[in-house]
Amino acid sequence: MFSLSEVSRPAKRLLAVFIALVLILSCIIVLSYNNYFLLGDLIKRNNDDVKYIHSAKLLLNEGILAYNSGEQPSAFIMPGMPILLAGVMAVFGQDDVGINAFRILQCVMQAFSVYLIFIIGRRVFNTRVALITAAICVVYPPDYFSSGSILSETTFRTMQLLLICLAFVAMDKRKTFWYILIGLLVAAAAYLKPHATLYPAIFFILWWKQRTPWREIVKYAGAMAAVYIVCLLPWWIRNMITFDKFILFTNSGGSPFLLGTKIRGALPPAGFFVEHPEYDPKTIFQGSDSTAVAKGLDIIKYGFLHEPVKYTYWYTLGRWVELYIHPFYSRPFWPITRPVMNVLQMIMMAVSIIGLVWALIKHRMERMLPLLLTLAYFTLIYQPFVAFNRYGYPNVIILFLFAAYLIDRCIAMRHKEPLLNANQGGTGIR
């Protein structure tokens, strides 16, 4: 499916070197730093990663799926990460060996992501852009931190890149089979992050641009929906049996919405508590159900009414800054410190945005559209909710494609290459 038959031998060799470097460096770094990459304490269980480890062990030993609820069953999160981690631990053990085995699995995913981004870069732009992007992946420290963390970001990013590849293939082949695969992958991604569920909506724009007949649209959309529903049925049935009610995804949906109103960790304006004496500053951000949604709506209404500039920024440009300007680099390692990485991230994002604007002006839109729609979807989906670098991390590799495009264009202009030559390179996807 992802053929490199049209890629020159030197390009293949260079790609192989980049993939090998990412795999080797990832393994060395995660095994050297080991549990340094944990964000929480295994005893106190005070962060997502250590809670995932506890959930995986509980699932293996007691058959109970719980998170943030001690040893009582819960639907606080989707079960994908605990199940994946438990699967690795079932083979390699529940101690540090099992945890490190999961890290090695993530190292393999990181290396595979380099291959996938090469395929996408070559399809959308050309071989040189694809290779430049792969090279950026080799020297991007947050990728190695992500390999060492016990979080879902590395797995989700791999799935997201696969979705982009399948989107290109599905639009080219126009066969139901490819949409069935997309439905499977979207369901798998939703078991990690439920906001992936609406990703197939981008196909309505792609179908419109391609002038796809309505009969085919209904067939393709129906195939994706049917596969997705079948895959999510076990989760819905489990929740009905366990909690005697239907839970679509989780029962903590109000929490991300409420936390999304928290501007840089601060409480709402002081006047909010005067206007809403029913809320206590000490407990305002607690809760994860419908009461959390109600709190969030009250804060948003007050904020836009009394501080419109501040809240407009926070829910527009501020979201983008939180997602992409701050690097996903919570545990720095030698030789890149966090302050240095902060500066590097700002430079890389600036170059990426310039490249994105240049591509929008100069490059063929139909070649970029699935990529742009994916980037737009996984950015805008966070607008109502809490957004920070961890959630933006899977998209950063997409932005690097545009940084590579800018570098490629500068090289082309320096050597006075014709534009046509820079856009050659075939699809790379068969």
Side-chain angles (χ1 to χ4, degrees):
M1 181 173 68
F2 302 150
S3 173
L4 296 178
S5 60
E6 297 177 7
V7 179
S8 67
R9 185 170 296 178
K12 288 180 183 177
R13 288 175 178 170
L14 194 54
L15 174 62
V17 169
F18 290 151
I19 292 173
L21 280 173
V22 168
L23 179 59
I24 293 169
L25 289 175
S26 294
C27 291
I28 291 173
I29 290 170
V30 303
L31 293 178
S32 298
Y33 283 87
N34 207 308
N35 285 343
Y36 164 75
F37 286 126
L38 289 178
L39 302 179
D41 186 285
L42 288 166
I43 304 299
K44 297 178 180 179
R45 300 202 295 268
N46 52 0
N47 212 304
D48 286 347
D49 51 0
V50 290
K51 291 178 183 179
Y52 285 141
I53 293 171
H54 172 73
S55 296
K57 291 180 178 180
L58 191 63
L59 185 60
L60 283 174
N61 298 327
E62 306 295 335
I64 297 173
L65 183 59
Y67 182 94
N68 234 22
S69 58
E71 297 187 0
Q72 297 302 311
S74 71
F76 193 84
I77 62 167
M78 294 298 286
M81 185 63 182
I83 290 174
L84 179 61
L85 186 55
V88 175
M89 286 182 166
V91 176
F92 295 97
Q94 300 179 30
D95 55 9
D96 285 350
V97 175
I99 295 174
N100 280 333
F102 182 79
R103 291 186 173 113
I104 296 300
L105 174 61
Q106 292 190 136
C107 293
V108 174
M109 291 184 195
Q110 288 286 2
F112 183 49
S113 293
V114 176
Y115 170 72
L116 292 177
I117 201 65
F118 175 86
I119 292 293
I120 295 168
R122 190 166 184 272
R123 164 64 188 249
V124 176
F125 298 111
N126 59 53
T127 301
R128 188 164 63 198
V129 169
L131 286 172
I132 293 171
T133 310
I136 293 173
C137 292
V138 175
V139 298
Y140 187 59
D143 280 358
Y144 299 106
F145 162 70
S146 183
S147 296
S149 65
I150 309 298
L151 298 169
S152 61
E153 271 55 47
T154 296
T155 305
F156 187 79
R157 186 179 81 162
T158 305
M159 290 181 174
Q160 187 171 310
L161 293 175
L162 276 170
L163 277 172
I164 297 171
C165 291
L166 289 178
F168 279 116
V169 176
M171 296 305 296
D172 287 346
K173 299 293 186 180
R174 299 179 70 161
K175 299 292 184 182
T176 306
F177 171 76
W178 297 106
Y179 290 99
I180 290 174
L181 288 184
I182 290 170
L184 283 169
L185 195 54
V186 169
Y191 269 105
L192 292 174
K193 296 180 183 289
H195 63 260
T197 296
L198 295 179
Y199 176 78
I202 74 166
F203 284 98
F204 287 97
I205 299 175
L206 297 174
W207 290 328
W208 172 70
K209 291 290 289 183
Q210 198 180 59
R211 300 179 184 270
T212 304
W214 275 106
R215 184 175 296 179
E216 289 186 28
I217 290 176
V218 171
K219 181 172 64 173
Y220 299 151
M224 288 189 289
V227 171
Y228 178 89
I229 290 170
V230 170
C231 291
L232 267 290
L233 271 176
W235 177 240
W236 296 334
I237 292 171
R238 176 261 184 185
N239 291 336
M240 285 292 295
I241 294 173
T242 305
F243 305 108
D244 199 28
K245 64 179 179 179
F246 177 75
I247 299 175
L248 181 60
F249 298 122
T250 70
N251 56 13
S252 63
S255 181
F257 178 75
L258 175 59
L259 293 175
T261 68
K262 197 174 185 180
I263 301 179
R264 298 187 185 89
L267 289 169
F272 171 80
F273 296 102
V274 175
E275 189 169 308
H276 293 276
E278 68 272 24
Y279 297 135
D280 185 340
K282 295 180 180 179
T283 61
I284 183 66
F285 290 116
Q286 295 178 8
S288 59
D289 52 14
S290 59
T291 60
V293 176
K295 289 180 188 178
L297 290 173
D298 287 338
I299 294 171
I300 291 172
K301 182 178 178 181
Y302 181 90
F304 275 100
L305 187 63
H306 293 86
E307 298 184 24
V309 175
K310 179 180 179 180
Y311 275 80
T312 299
Y313 166 81
W314 184 244
Y315 278 94
T316 53
L317 183 60
R319 283 289 192 264
W320 190 90
V321 170
E322 294 299 313
L323 287 170
Y324 303 126
I325 296 300
H326 305 305
F328 180 49
Y329 195 54
S330 303
R331 290 288 183 267
F333 55 87
W334 184 87
I336 307 298
T337 63
R338 180 58 190 252
V340 170
M341 190 63 237
N342 289 343
V343 174
L344 291 175
Q345 183 81 6
M346 285 189 283
I347 294 171
M348 296 170 84
M349 288 300 100
V351 174
S352 296
I353 293 305
I354 295 171
L356 174 59
V357 173
W358 195 338
L360 289 172
I361 296 171
K362 295 291 187 180
H363 202 66
R364 291 167 55 191
M365 179 57 69
E366 61 267 26
R367 295 178 71 91
M368 296 190 296
L369 195 54
L371 186 69
L372 292 173
L373 289 174
T374 301
L375 178 61
Y377 174 81
F378 284 111
T379 298
L380 295 176
I381 198 70
Y382 287 111
Q383 294 305 113
F385 305 108
V386 62
F388 58 106
N389 52 11
R390 176 179 159 189
Y391 295 163
Y393 168 74
N395 281 341
V396 169
I397 195 170
I398 299 176
L399 290 169
F400 285 163
L401 277 172
F402 295 99
Y405 174 77
L406 178 63
I407 296 170
D408 172 78
R409 290 289 77 230
C410 291
I411 294 172
M413 289 190 299
R414 179 179 176 83
H415 295 282
K416 297 182 180 180
E417 297 176 5
L419 183 61
L420 178 62
N421 184 54
N423 286 337
Q424 289 175 345
T427 66
I429 302 178
R430 291 176 175 272

